[in-house]
Amino acid sequence: MAAGQDARRPLAAIGAAIEAGLPEQAAGMFEAWAHPDPAAALLALLLLDRRDALAEWLPRAETAGLEAALRELGLPVGGPGPDLVAALLGLARDPGAETARVHFASLVLVAGRHRLAEALLLPAWAGHASSAMVARALSGTWMLLGREAQALEAARIAAEAAPQAPEPMEHLAGLLLRAGQPGPALLAAGRAIGAAPQSHQGWRLASTGLLELGQTADAIAAANRAARLSALHAPHAEQIRTAHAAELPAAHAAELPAAGAAELPGDSAAPSPQRPKVQADWARLPTAAVAPPPPPLRRAVATRARIVDALLLRETRTMFSGSRLGYAWALVEPLSHVLLLSAVFFFLGHDSRPPIGDAMLTFYMTGVLSFLFFAHMTERAMDLPAANRSLLLVPAVGLFDILAAKAVLSAVTDLVVAAVTFALLIALGVGKLPEDPAAMVACYLMLFLLSFGVACVNMVASTVTSAWEKLWPSFLRLQYFTCGVFYHPLDMPEDIRNLILLNPLVHVTEWMRQAYFHGYESPFLDIPYLFQWTIGCLLVGTALFAAAARQMRRPA
């Protein structure tokens, strides 16, 4: 008997490893398990999703052994409750059947082994392609595990997969209320009621949503409707009716039915003579899951503009909040680059005569400002999905809105810095006004579009792999030495110059200097080539963004 107990001990260790989030360690334990009991091995294979090996152990597993294996994992066996052994055997015989998998996992979940239930459900999880049954089961599991964002996403998938089933809609409405989104929760509850008008849970959730939205009268009516359908909700209806009756006009409050007395469709009883009859549809909730028509283009654009404007104000307060210098750092940064370059070339004995213009400071500055414009916009986009998880819970806010606000704020900041920097150079007597302001504006506009396209690519790449957040700054350091910040292409050997001119940022730098310096016409500037790069980056960036938008919104 002791030998039998020793043979079963590894199963508990495998279960503990799975619950600790160490599936590789659990698999290693199973591989090292010498002479396992067939029933224990069968249960371990189900937890590890080793479907190909189930047929070998299933014929040898006996009911007594399965009961002992379940007890070792702390699962209740026997008594008047659900038959865990039958559910286990059903899944072992057909591991690809979602119904059997969800049934067994649900019994494990009810027994309090939440992580084991998750391990049983995950093999059937296919993201947005999952069935309503699997998504609903995983949503409940993740909610019990405290992963509310994942639970909400799975609940949305379940509701989309079964739009006519009231229970997934009710579950989604409950999670939306927990997430502080009463508007979407009310819509989900309304769709549940539209699918099943007698859904007492849908009316209860609608009552809570209406109350949070400040629609007290409708909330009381919905609560009364829930109480009329099920006595379980009578305390809730009585509580909010008593607590909020003072908020209603006296005449209106007198018309409200008592808890449990709301009229329903099909009721034949006559209304009480002391209280006027309340119409069945008095609580204004949708009775069918009808999608609203899309708003006109002008209104949609205006709405997005207001969202971006609000995000701009938010980003303005937070962009440099981690630095004591605040926005002063935006001005210090380009000046520090120029002073460092000047010091380095001075100590190296470099000729102080610039290739273009009269002062090295202006020559460096025309290159540094355009490079920093590109670097800031493309680098700040990488952490946007991870840094704005809470903001993305607001249904009206999208990742593109956040990226647009960040890009516009970065561009405006760098343009202001450029204007202040050139004003300082003019005050010092080493600068002047641009020779061709219109060309400089066109150059900055092209640079903005190019940077925005690359920013979209960076946002997607950083979501796919965290290594991109380390690779891109290294690439920017390489760009610093190849985009013509502190040299002119004429100073380079022809072979190297031909390679450098493939870099679109070199053409940005040349365009900037041609617009700034009097009498300078760059022999290397190729605006059509720069335009092709810009359009290509915008197309690739926006296509990748659209393809990965849903993945980027999902919790990490």
Side-chain angles (χ1 to χ4, degrees):
M1 183 151 183
Q5 291 175 351
D6 291 340
R8 288 194 297 269
R9 284 176 185 167
L11 179 60
I14 290 173
I18 291 174
E19 290 184 311
L22 302 170
E24 295 82 4
Q25 183 175 336
M29 290 179 183
F30 182 81
E31 298 296 338
W33 192 357
H35 309 296
D37 177 81
L42 185 68
L43 182 52
L45 288 169
L46 287 176
L47 293 173
L48 294 169
D49 196 35
R50 300 281 189 87
R51 304 184 188 187
D52 53 342
L54 289 172
E56 176 186 351
W57 297 95
L58 182 58
R60 293 186 280 165
E62 299 178 353
T63 301
L66 291 172
E67 290 179 352
L70 290 168
R71 288 194 188 97
E72 186 178 353
L73 286 180
L75 299 172
V77 179
D83 191 348
L84 268 170
V85 173
L88 189 156
L89 288 173
L91 177 57
R93 293 189 185 103
D94 190 3
E98 288 187 348
T99 302
R101 182 171 293 275
V102 170
H103 176 55
F104 182 52
S106 299
L107 296 181
V108 173
L109 187 67
V110 170
R113 307 306 294 272
H114 304 156
R115 292 187 182 275
L116 291 182
E118 181 190 25
L120 289 165
L121 290 169
L122 281 177
W125 173 248
H128 290 273
S130 300
S131 67
M133 180 171 53
V134 171
R136 172 62 182 88
L138 262 175
S139 176
T141 304
W142 282 331
M143 183 180 65
L144 291 173
L145 288 171
R147 303 175 192 167
E148 294 188 1
Q150 288 178 280
L152 183 57
E153 182 69 16
R156 285 196 175 102
I157 293 171
E160 290 172 4
Q164 299 305 320
E167 199 282 334
M169 287 292 182
E170 293 167 0
H171 176 66
L172 175 60
L175 289 182
L176 287 167
L177 286 173
R178 287 170 61 94
Q181 302 180 40
L186 182 59
L187 179 59
R191 287 175 174 171
I193 296 168
Q198 307 301 315
S199 169
H200 59 86
Q201 186 64 21
W203 284 106
R204 163 68 184 268
L205 292 164
S207 170
T208 305
L210 287 165
L211 195 61
E212 292 190 16
L213 291 170
Q215 301 177 27
T216 307
D218 286 352
I220 295 174
N224 287 333
R225 188 74 60 92
R228 177 67 177 84
L229 288 166
S230 173
L232 293 174
H233 304 302
H236 167 73
E238 187 65 28
Q239 178 184 3
I240 69 167
R241 193 173 69 90
T242 304
H244 297 278
E247 301 174 17
L248 304 176
H252 196 179
E255 297 177 0
L256 289 176
E263 294 291 333
L264 296 173
D267 284 354
S268 57
S272 170
Q274 289 81 15
R275 181 180 295 112
K277 181 178 178 180
V278 179
Q279 296 180 4
D281 60 348
W282 187 78
R284 293 184 290 276
L285 290 172
T287 57
V290 179
L297 178 60
R298 181 176 179 181
R299 188 192 306 169
V301 172
T303 300
R304 299 256 69 83
R306 288 196 299 270
I307 292 172
V308 172
D309 181 59
L311 292 172
L312 268 172
L313 294 176
R314 175 181 179 270
E315 291 294 332
T316 302
R317 297 187 183 98
T318 60
M319 177 178 283
F320 293 102
S321 58
S323 172
R324 291 185 178 180
L325 288 174
Y327 269 84
W329 172 248
L331 181 60
V332 171
E333 187 180 10
L335 292 176
S336 65
H337 279 261
V338 171
L339 293 176
L340 179 61
L341 286 173
S342 301
V344 169
F345 285 117
F346 176 80
F347 286 110
L348 290 177
H350 190 276
D351 186 7
S352 60
R353 183 179 179 83
I356 309 170
D358 300 324
M360 291 298 297
L361 283 176
T362 54
F363 179 78
Y364 291 151
M365 195 63 72
T366 49
V368 166
L369 291 173
S370 58
F371 169 78
L372 291 180
F373 187 103
F374 175 82
H376 289 159
M377 190 181 300
T378 56
E379 196 167 14
R380 288 167 181 164
M382 290 191 292
D383 63 341
L384 288 186
N388 292 276
R389 294 293 182 200
S390 59
L391 189 59
L392 291 174
L393 293 175
V394 180
V397 177
L399 265 175
F400 196 84
D401 302 324
I402 299 174
L403 176 60
K406 194 81 169 180
V408 170
L409 180 60
S410 178
V412 170
T413 301
D414 283 338
L415 287 175
V416 172
V417 167
V420 172
T421 302
F422 282 123
L424 287 175
L425 293 179
I426 293 172
L428 294 173
V430 294
K432 60 178 182 178
L433 294 174
E435 176 67 19
D436 190 350
M440 185 167 283
V441 170
C443 179
Y444 266 115
L445 179 60
M446 186 83 74
L447 180 58
F448 174 82
L449 297 175
L450 174 67
S451 304
F452 189 82
V454 177
C456 291
V457 175
N458 280 356
M459 182 185 286
V460 176
S462 63
T463 304
V464 173
T465 172
S466 59
W468 190 254
E469 296 182 4
K470 299 179 178 63
L471 292 174
W472 184 251
S474 300
F475 177 75
L476 286 178
R477 284 191 286 272
L478 177 63
Q479 282 282 1
Y480 191 76
F481 295 100
T482 59
C483 68
V485 169
F486 54 86
Y487 62 85
H488 192 273
L490 279 176
D491 297 334
M492 309 301 293
E494 185 176 358
D495 294 341
I496 297 177
R497 181 169 64 241
N498 292 335
L499 291 175
I500 289 174
L501 290 176
L502 296 176
N503 185 352
L505 290 184
V506 173
H507 297 272
V508 172
T509 305
E510 286 295 290
W511 196 358
M512 190 73 67
R513 286 171 175 160
Q514 179 173 292
Y516 183 80
F517 291 107
H518 176 72
Y520 174 64
E521 292 189 9
S522 173
F524 307 109
L525 175 59
D526 189 346
I527 295 179
Y529 176 76
L530 178 60
F531 182 76
Q532 291 170 8
W533 262 97
T534 302
I535 296 299
C537 288
L538 281 173
L539 290 176
V540 172
T542 52
L544 289 175
F545 187 96
R550 189 180 293 271
Q551 178 185 351
M552 289 190 291
R553 285 188 73 103
R554 294 184 64 178

